[in-house]
Amino acid sequence: MTFSHVADRIGATGVRERRVRAYSVERDAYTWWPAEEQWMRTAGRRRRTAAIAGQGRLILAGAPSHVNRPRYPRDHQTARAHLRMQRDAAVTRALRPAAAA
C-alpha cells in the first residue's frame, strides 16, 4: 500500500496544499494590514481621490503587492476573501493554455 492510498483512507489527502494556501493568504493579509495602519497614521491630510471615469488604478511596477491593492476592508475575513479571489484568478490565468498564434 502506498502513502497516497493511506492518505486517502484516513482523509489526509491535500492537507499540506490547503495549509500552504491558507498560510500564504494569512501572510499577505498581515503585510497588507500594517501598511494600511501606517497610511492611516501618517501626518497631514489624507484623501483617497475619487475614481475618474474611464481611468483604472495606477499599478506601480516594483512596488510591494499590498501597495497595488484597494483600501483594506475593515474586517479581516473580507480581506482574506479578497486575497483568495486574487490568488484563484492568478492560478486560473496561469492554467489557461496559450492562444495559438
Side-chain angles (χ1 to χ4, degrees):
M1 191 175 276
T2 64
F3 287 118
S4 61
H5 288 94
V6 173
D8 288 341
R9 182 181 254 179
I10 66 172
T13 303
V15 170
R16 182 175 183 273
E17 289 79 16
R18 285 192 300 274
R19 286 182 181 170
V20 166
R21 284 192 305 270
Y23 297 160
S24 178
V25 166
E26 286 297 322
R27 279 191 304 273
D28 286 350
Y30 181 76
T31 57
W32 189 9
W33 174 243
E36 184 74 11
E37 279 188 321
Q38 182 181 6
W39 177 84
M40 290 187 300
R41 291 183 181 141
T42 56
R45 197 167 186 180
R46 298 173 314 279
R47 286 189 189 164
R48 294 217 188 249
T49 57
I52 298 171
Q55 291 186 349
R57 287 180 43 88
L58 175 63
I59 304 299
L60 304 172
S65 59
H66 60 269
V67 172
N68 292 323
R69 290 191 184 116
R71 184 166 71 187
Y72 190 91
R74 290 299 169 244
D75 73 89
H76 303 299
Q77 185 175 1
T78 305
R80 284 188 214 100
H82 175 79
L83 291 168
R84 278 189 214 102
M85 285 189 326
Q86 277 186 334
R87 193 168 307 269
D88 291 346
V91 168
T92 302
R93 283 191 304 270
L95 293 178
R96 272 191 219 141

